[in-house]
Amino acid sequence: PARPRAARAPPADAPLAPAMAANIVVPSDITILENKLCIGKRRLGLFESTGLLGMAPMLHIHYSKMDKGDKRAVLSKKFDDEDASPASNVVRTRQEAVRKEVVATNFMWGTAGAMTGLAWWSVRRYNYQARLVALPFIFYGGTFVGRVLGDICTGRNAEYARDRFLASLPAKVYYSGGASS
């Protein structure tokens, strides 16, 4: 009977096969700055918690946005109010912009629900088919009205573009292999 051949180790001078490319997710620069300046944990308010509950889950392909877990992490950091450094101002401004965005989500869902409830009430004497035709469209339209209303009530419509840009910076990025220049 033939004996199986033993596997041999490659010679020491043989070139190694190229490693398979993998994407490594690392914290972004703003997240590192937030963690550096954080002095403790901050408790989320009621409207911040419910606003985070109303945000849809996100599938990250490029890590270009923050999901609700990243927004919760930004909101749960406590920063020193007496620190007047530019870096501290940046992270506090970002936290306030994220807070406004999260709280405005409550207005979006609340307005959509209220508009749907009022439409349901106004056609209460009709059969259910008539109600089912109109209500999804009313709800969808209510989300747009609610976004505008939420932006006005939280003051998001009056914030600077810089503040909104800071709130949109991703918390995680793909590792690029070296220092960017």
Side-chain angles (χ1 to χ4, degrees):
R3 221 169 52 182
R5 294 178 54 176
R8 279 190 272 171
D13 59 344
L16 296 174
M20 190 166 91
N23 291 327
I24 300 172
V25 179
V26 296
S28 66
D29 295 340
I30 189 76
T31 305
I32 293 170
L33 182 64
E34 286 173 350
N35 288 331
K36 180 181 173 186
L37 296 175
C38 179
I39 61 169
K41 294 202 54 95
R42 176 183 167 269
R43 197 164 167 213
L44 295 180
L46 175 67
F47 293 123
E48 293 170 349
S49 298
T50 56
L52 287 168
L53 283 174
M55 292 188 166
M58 184 178 297
L59 173 66
H60 288 289
I61 296 173
H62 297 291
Y63 282 96
S64 60
K65 295 181 181 179
M66 287 201 306
D67 59 2
K68 63 181 174 180
D70 297 333
K71 290 178 185 178
R72 182 181 305 276
V74 169
L75 291 173
S76 65
K77 290 183 175 109
K78 186 175 184 180
F79 302 111
D80 187 10
D81 291 333
E82 296 175 3
D83 186 5
S85 67
S88 181
N89 288 335
V90 166
V91 295
R92 280 197 307 266
T93 302
R94 172 179 161 89
Q95 187 180 46
E96 180 61 21
V98 170
R99 188 197 66 80
K100 287 179 182 179
E101 179 183 354
V102 167
V103 171
T105 306
N106 294 318
F107 288 93
M108 178 184 72
W109 292 118
T111 304
M115 286 178 63
T116 305
L118 290 172
W120 182 276
W121 180 256
S122 67
V123 294
R124 66 189 179 277
R125 304 225 184 257
Y126 293 87
N127 60 4
Y128 74 94
Q129 293 98 344
R131 286 182 253 171
L132 291 179
V133 168
L135 294 182
F137 298 105
I138 302 275
F139 185 83
Y140 185 65
T143 59
F144 289 98
V145 174
R147 280 187 204 141
V148 172
L149 187 64
D151 286 354
I152 292 169
C153 290
T154 59
R156 240 183 128 212
N157 63 331
E159 72 183 355
Y160 293 107
R162 171 187 176 262
D163 299 351
R164 206 169 278 206
F165 172 74
L166 284 173
S168 70
L169 287 174
K172 301 175 196 134
V173 293
Y174 286 121
Y175 179 65
S176 62
S180 59
S181 50

